[in-house]
Amino acid sequence: MTFSFNSHAQSKIINSGWQFSEDQSVWGNVNIPHTWNDKDAFDDAPGYRRGLGYYKKQIFIASAESNNIHYLKFNAVNQEATVSVNGIKVGNHKGGYTAFNFDITAFLKYDDYNLIEVTVDNSHNENIPPLDADFTFYGGIYRDVGLISLPKQHFSLNDFASEGYYVNYYNISEKRAGVEVKLLIDNFETSKSKNRLYLKILDATGNLILEEYKGIKIDASTSKELNIKFPEIENPKLWSPEHPYLYKLEITLTDKNGYVLDSKSSNLGFRWATVDSEKGFFLNGKSIKLIGVNRHQDYANYGNAVPLSLQKKDIELIKEMGSNVIRFAHYPHARELYKKCDELGILVWTEIPIVNKVTNTNAFFDVSKQMQKEHIKQYYNFPSVVMIGYMNEIFLRLAFDKKETDLEKENRKKYTYTLAKQLENLTRTEAPNHITVMALHFNELYNETKIADLPMLVGWNLYFGWYHDTIKDLGVFLDDQHQRYPNRSLLVSEYGPGADVRVSATEPSRYDYSQEYQLVLHSGYYNQVGNRDFVAGMTAWNFADFGSEFRGETIPHVNQKGLVQYNREPKEVYYWYQSVLKTNDPFVHVTNYQKELNLLENNTHEIVVFSNQDKGKLYVNDEFFKHMNFESGIAKVTIPFKEGINTVRAETDSTSDDTIFNVKIIKDLKTDDFDVLAINVGTDISFRDDVFGVTYLKDRSYTKNLFGYLPSSGKCNRKLIPFNVSNTINEAVYQTVLVDCNTYKVDIPDGKYKVTLYFVEPQLKNKTKVLFNLTDAKDDSKTDVMHRVFDVKLNDKTIASQFNMAKAYADKYGIAESSKINITNNIGLTIRLNPIIGETVLSGILIEKTD
């Protein structure tokens, strides 16, 4: 017997036509998704608006709907929402990343407009996690709002805003698989109802596999729980990243006459997952290495109010990279993305946002457990979800706290462990057949407190070679942990350096923000994890650059560890992952780290080619140049370039890729023609200013006919300033400083020039504490600004006397001192910084020819 129905339940998105105000006096029109922090979280003013925001909207309800039950559903509001209908409060919800429903039936007027009002608060609240984290807590209604109208018998929406049913699997193997469905049905009638329930399982092409029918009776004004167990399916097609085969479950509720009251559907994926402390992760009984990414939900120019179409493209890009796993960090993301993971074949780690620290109050504990219940129940039915977590780096602030006493720290350890234990037990109870997870940072606290023994799988967030130590120390740490805790399953849940596509380095090094170093670190981690069977896998931090308001690196207010940029344009390392993870289709990619390649003293330059093939050929300017062998997806070739445009093409047996290098060869400034010469003083990185089309060359010690600092003119130390520099968009120039180096020479020919020198006061007085995953932290809050005074001269011309940045400019202010100069008698340009008090500093030089 087969059944076919048309559902009369109504669910519509009401995102358009809202009004928003920050103070309830001035209102503007907005559409949902919306955040009020999409701009102020990226300006130079410290902090961003955390407080109240007010939304309102009129909705018309016809009298024909008066027999229905009506719900408002908010898919996410950050972080606390109070909802009123026609001036009457209908509910409050705490937590910014899960959905919630309110039954508004009793508050409605029919054949009339109804006023919906929502007060949103993203203020810091000690009782609502996250309390503190390296991402921006955007305020607003940033996911869809729905108006749901249902007959008086329907699948419950009151079980933590879930869909009212839960799919469980039993006896899953390659030979058979069973499905059991738990359903909750509400009856809002004042009398007992008789209903019918129809369930169908369809294969991927829509063919009916199994069906169940059941007549039910539901008492008045109550909820009924039912469990429907299907017979086992013989020889099921299993779900996996390589073959994400999905069956479909359809559930229909009717009245006794067959009139449809409610219907639901979801994916079914037959799979089982386990972890082994010696052999890693297993799916469907087969060992696989988990390789993928973490993801934050925000996007350039949108904050967290991102159109769903763009978010879905993220998942497609992650799959296209070759990932078989994604960690939705550090909170539940839009449910539609989990469905996308079902369809594309990406395993999911999902978690709630208890990050960095815990508050020891009943309210915090209660909200945390409420979050996890909502999280589990709302995301329960997705086959892709195999790992469920609840804490991230929870002892990070404890490790660096300079103010808490030893007794206070011991108490914090205890109550944090208590909450973790409660959440672990809750997760195991509410989400059987899932793997519980927790992410830790590089600190022995997690072992000392034994909190690392709670989850089934431990994720270590490790930044060897970035915040501390060397890349090779990753393997040392993993081996040590495995030796000390042989029964503990582990995964590298975060890793990666910051990278700016405008930054390049021929000798990449830690903390230089070059794409070249990003490749060195990622490939180093990949090889070390791949060589250790006991490591379940690795998830890179992060898929995309994301907003973190307090950060002030080469792109301020953005964490730059993404494999793609904030606007989702890939960085070069994204293509490297394709070369090692995508083995089915031939792939080759020629990297180009610099839009304008400046070569000093010689014309050769090493380029990097990625491929998933063993061998390839390289062509330069359409002529065969060299055979290539790829190791771990990488081939490096040194090429002699000509001045101007050069074309480089790589070929394998069945695919090719090419790119253009615009080459400027600088051998002698006296004779080489140039209009602009820019130098990134105090660093080995070159930087491309894309706005003005200028490349700042890496610094060097002086050689004749070129440029550089004179090492004999002072200590010539380099300093990095990892803070936002205001009054500029070129942080990468200002943040690198040459200290106590008093003479700089540039052997430019005679002529008229405009010379601009860049300065910033490096001695910090900022009291904002910047902590990432460091092993140690210094307290800069008591540091006074050094009194630094010096004269600035271009040849014999003084362009700044008694130059005192601390007195004349705001803290961390980008200063540009420009002057015109006429160079004669073949003397070139000499920049002299004559110290009066303290040490001199210089960040950059820009020389432009003038008429």
Side-chain angles (χ1 to χ4, degrees), residues 418-449:
T418 297
L419 178 58
K421 179 67 173 175
Q422 291 177 10
L423 290 168
E424 176 71 23
N425 292 341
L426 183 156
T427 306
R428 292 195 185 212
T429 300
E430 297 289 342
N433 303 318
H434 291 81
I435 297 168
T436 60
V437 286
M438 181 193 297
L440 322 175
H441 83 284
F442 176 56
N443 197 288
E444 191 63 22
L445 278 168
Y446 300 96
N447 295 322
E448 292 174 1
T449 59

Side-chain angles (χ1 to χ4, degrees), residues 82-111:
T82 302
V83 180
S84 298
V85 176
N86 295 323
I88 303 172
K89 177 181 174 180
V90 299
N92 172 271
H93 181 264
K94 295 177 175 64
Y97 304 96
T98 46
F100 55 95
N101 299 324
F102 293 128
D103 180 353
I104 62 171
T105 310
F107 309 97
L108 293 177
K109 300 178 293 184
Y110 295 98
D111 278 341

Side-chain angles (χ1 to χ4, degrees), residues 473-530:
D473 288 316
L474 169 70
V476 176
F477 175 82
L478 294 173
D479 291 340
D480 175 69
Q481 290 296 307
H482 184 56
Q483 182 179 8
R484 293 167 59 194
Y485 305 98
N487 297 321
R488 190 187 288 170
S489 296
L490 62 88
L491 175 145
V492 181
S493 44
E494 291 183 21
Y495 64 96
D500 185 333
V501 297
R502 303 169 301 169
V503 170
S504 184
T506 54
E507 298 178 4
S509 61
R510 173 178 167 230
Y511 231 72
D512 67 4
Y513 286 89
S514 70
Q515 290 193 86
E516 290 90 341
Y517 188 72
Q518 189 178 33
L519 173 63
V520 171
L521 189 145
H522 278 267
S523 59
Y525 273 55
Y526 176 81
N527 291 328
Q528 292 177 82
V529 168

